[in-house]
Amino acid sequence: MPTPERAGPAATSTPVEELHRERRPFLVQVTALRKQNGATRVERREGLIPGLGAVSVTVPDDEPVVLDVTLASSPGGITADGTVAAAWQGECRRCGGPVGGRIVAQVNERFAPTGGTERDEEAYPLSGDELDLEPLARDAVLLELPLAPLCRDDCAGLCPTCGANRNTESCDCAPPTDVRWAVLDALRDEDPPI
């Protein structure tokens, strides 16, 4: 098996390639990789993906997404195996306070050539000798973002009556009552029969 070829920021590149990488950091030239089945190459790419988020959790537009994968050539296209990492921020689902963290998503995906009579619905498109890893990075981050983050596991949330943050202050509000249970509450308050 051939040894992996190292690529990414540490690899030597021309000024034109550097400019292209700055504009489209997740676009990889795979001409040499596709010429030999079983060939592998390690790619580390880092760039901004604006508008990345779901509901109340986002990856800040100024925070880079880091993709670290091994690309392997096969007769059906190219596979990408590795990790995607990004910092995220959002609001606690209980108290509304700020919360953030870092996610690392494992990826193992295929890229198949576009066109032809058969289309592989399970694979990302591979157009010519350029491999765009941005859709892979975007999907991996979106699937890994927490849906309902908490600032801490024991977050007490907000008082439903006065709105006080029960993590930092206490209030004297009585627990809310539900009128649908009023009859049962009255039975509980009665003296038990003798």
Side-chain angles (χ1 to χ4, degrees):
M1 180 173 186
T3 58
E5 176 185 329
R6 190 77 171 140
T12 52
S13 55
T14 66
V16 173
E17 289 172 330
E18 285 300 318
L19 182 61
H20 187 67
R21 181 173 289 162
E22 285 178 23
R23 290 187 183 152
R24 305 254 342 250
F26 296 101
L27 195 62
V28 179
Q29 295 295 324
V30 291
T31 307
L33 187 65
R34 292 190 69 194
K35 288 182 180 178
Q36 181 183 1
N37 283 336
T40 60
R41 184 168 83 201
V42 175
E43 283 288 339
R44 179 174 167 74
R45 297 296 175 114
E46 185 174 318
L48 303 176
I49 302 177
L52 192 56
V55 189
S56 65
V57 180
T58 62
V59 173
D61 287 341
D62 60 345
E63 284 289 330
V65 174
V66 179
L67 181 121
D68 197 359
V69 294
T70 299
L71 301 176
S73 177
S74 66
I78 293 176
T79 59
D81 184 28
T83 60
V84 179
W88 61 271
Q89 65 185 20
E91 289 183 356
C92 175
R93 70 175 176 174
R94 291 185 189 157
C95 69
V99 64
R102 185 154 187 82
I103 56 164
V104 178
Q106 297 291 323
V107 293
N108 186 353
E109 298 292 338
R110 289 181 312 120
F111 289 81
T114 56
T117 56
E118 281 187 42
R119 179 173 164 100
D120 190 347
E121 297 293 329
E122 299 276 325
Y124 287 94
L126 172 61
S127 301
D129 289 326
E130 288 187 334
L131 184 66
D132 189 2
L133 295 170
E134 185 174 328
L136 168 68
R138 176 180 293 279
D139 291 348
V141 169
L142 285 175
L143 289 172
E144 200 69 23
L145 285 174
L147 293 176
L150 293 174
C151 59
R152 60 183 203 225
D153 289 336
D154 63 342
C155 177
L158 301 176
C159 173
T161 306
C162 69
N165 185 341
R166 291 192 236 173
N167 295 315
T168 58
E169 58 186 291
S170 60
C171 64
D172 297 327
C173 299
T177 57
D178 188 341
V179 293
R180 298 174 292 177
W181 298 98
V183 175
L184 293 176
D185 287 338
L187 289 174
R188 182 179 56 194
D189 294 338
E190 289 179 3
D191 290 332
I194 301 177

